[in-house]
Amino acid sequence: MGLTIYVNGEYVPEEKAVVSVFDHGLLYGDGIFEGIRAYHNRVFKLKEHIDRLYDSANVLMLDIPLTRAEMAEVVLETMRRNGLREGYIRLIVTRGVGDLGLDPKKCKRVGVICIGASIQLYPEEFYERGLEIVTVPTRRNLNEAVNPRIKSLNYLNNILAKMEASLAGTIEAVMLNAEGYVAEATGDNIFIVNNGTLITPPSHVGILEGITRNAVMDLARDRGLPVAEKLFTRFELYTADECFLTGTAAEVIPVIKIDGRVIGSGRPGEVTKTLIHDFRALTKTDGPEIFQG
Ligand code: PMP
């Protein structure tokens, strides 16, 4: 059975969920999105995702035609209409239909789409064994260009890096910023652990400020582990005790090799394993219920 998808105020079958070839989301990547997870009948960190969406919209001067509360309800109702208690939600806001020119003023109606679907989970062995990743030549976008904190529909920066990872035979890339500091992976944030302290790049280095990242920092603090947002280079990556990535799709995933250098013992570290456990526990209780009772 096909999905029911929210498009501009209506819930329609997926065959009818189409956008115009003149939508500036397609023509220019002029739009924003969120990727959200539902676990155990709850939408995880829904408020945080809605807030980030509206922050991205603000920076791009995209006037979303729904309040935050209405947008949250669209997410919950999309899941209900598809009978989903678990899964992945994609919220998309586009500049809307315009002409072939760049000018966003020609776009009269901002488009809103919400898709709720089952998620293809990463294989469990990634979590048990850990990932091998590489740093790649493509640098993360400058804050002064398109700020990486905007979750925009233009992911070419990340896609180029992902292709470079694939050429190197790995599934994920670490991107540095223009100054050579570690920024993030193509769809995930990065952490290292040194002497029990969690270290992750500050958002001003040029990263998407991940909601999973922030949740993991809170979980670490709850455990009494020190957390620092600090600039670091590849040297600190290679010499870390532990390394892991965080993201909505990946959750918390250990990294055991970077550019051929073995990290720590070459196996997922104890701090990483504790945080994977705590994160999974948090997904049972966080966020509003989809179906009541
Ligand atoms: N960085 C980038 C570039 C991303 O696209 C994402 C989300 N896919 C993340 C980090 C992780 O963010 P979150 O934890 O909010 O999913």
Side-chain angles (χ1 to χ4, degrees):
M1 206 185 66
L3 295 173
T4 298
I5 294 168
Y6 174 91
V7 186
N8 297 328
E10 288 181 83
Y11 292 90
V12 297
E14 68 176 66
E15 335 54 276
K16 298 224 168 99
V18 290
V19 293
S20 164
V21 294
F22 292 101
D23 194 298
H24 280 206
L26 173 68
L27 289 174
Y28 295 115
D30 187 354
I32 54 176
F33 74 103
E34 281 297 319
I36 311 172
R37 285 285 283 278
Y39 302 91
H40 314 285
N41 191 38
R42 290 177 185 277
V43 179
F44 186 66
K45 299 281 172 197
L46 180 58
K47 181 182 182 304
E48 287 78 356
H49 283 283
I50 300 278
D51 285 345
R52 188 170 66 185
L53 184 79
Y54 280 75
D55 285 347
S56 294
N58 237 324
V59 178
L60 297 179
M61 292 182 271
L62 261 170
D63 202 2
I64 300 179
L66 300 172
T67 63
R68 289 174 199 227
E70 286 166 346
M71 189 66 89
E73 186 51 33
V74 164
V75 170
L76 293 166
E77 184 61 17
T78 302
M79 294 302 275
R80 282 184 210 119
R81 293 209 184 205
N82 288 285
L84 292 168
R85 289 165 188 268
E86 317 261 338
Y88 183 84
I89 300 144
R90 177 60 61 93
L91 255 187
I92 306 154
V93 177
T94 83
R95 187 75 64 180
V97 175
D99 63 18
L100 290 177
L102 276 182
D103 190 356
K105 286 202 293 293
K106 302 272 175 65
C107 304
K108 296 300 176 207
R109 182 163 94 151
V110 167
V112 180
I113 297 166
C114 183
I115 308 167
S118 309
I119 185 165
Q120 185 87 46
L121 296 172
Y122 285 106
E124 189 56 31
E125 67 171 77
F126 285 14
Y127 299 88
E128 281 159 17
R129 280 204 286 177
L131 294 181
E132 263 187 65
I133 61 175
V134 286
T135 57
V136 292
T138 295
R139 299 295 173 106
R140 194 68 174 104
N141 280 339
L142 289 175
N143 286 332
E144 297 78 6
V146 179
N147 193 310
R149 290 186 71 180
I150 303 168
K151 198 161 167 62
S152 89
L153 290 183
N154 194 316
Y155 255 57
L156 286 175
N157 183 211
N158 314 58
I159 289 166
L160 284 171
K162 187 96 178 169
M163 291 193 294
E164 289 160 355
S166 172
L167 286 171
T170 62
I171 64 157
E172 189 49 287
V174 180
M175 305 177 79
L176 310 178
N177 76 357
E179 293 174 294
Y181 291 109
V182 171
E184 61 178 336
T186 65
D188 296 304
N189 293 112
I190 189 161
F191 285 78
I192 54 175
V193 181
N194 262 336
N195 300 318
T197 298
L198 262 76
I199 305 166
T200 196
S203 48
H204 68 75
V205 79
I207 57 170
L208 182 76
E209 193 180 305
I211 286 161
T212 319
R213 165 192 186 269
N214 293 350
V216 164
M217 290 199 288
D218 287 344
L219 289 171
R221 290 188 194 104
D222 290 347
R223 285 259 177 196
L225 296 168
V227 179
E229 293 180 68
K230 259 188 3 193
L231 296 176
F232 60 91
T233 66
R234 286 192 301 181
F235 184 89
E236 285 81 25
L237 265 189
Y238 300 155
T239 56
D241 296 337
E242 300 183 27
C243 178
F244 61 86
L245 306 179
T246 63
T248 292
E251 303 172 327
V252 180
I253 198 157
V255 172
I256 50 153
K257 214 183 232 190
I258 306 172
D259 295 338
R261 278 76 161 185
V262 173
I263 307 305
S265 65
R267 281 199 292 266
E270 290 310 314
V271 173
T272 306
K273 286 198 278 196
T274 302
L275 292 167
I276 291 173
H277 169 272
D278 290 357
F279 183 81
R280 288 184 174 168
L282 182 65
T283 64
K284 298 200 168 115
T285 56
D286 186 274
E289 283 188 331
I290 300 168
F291 295 97
Q292 302 297 312

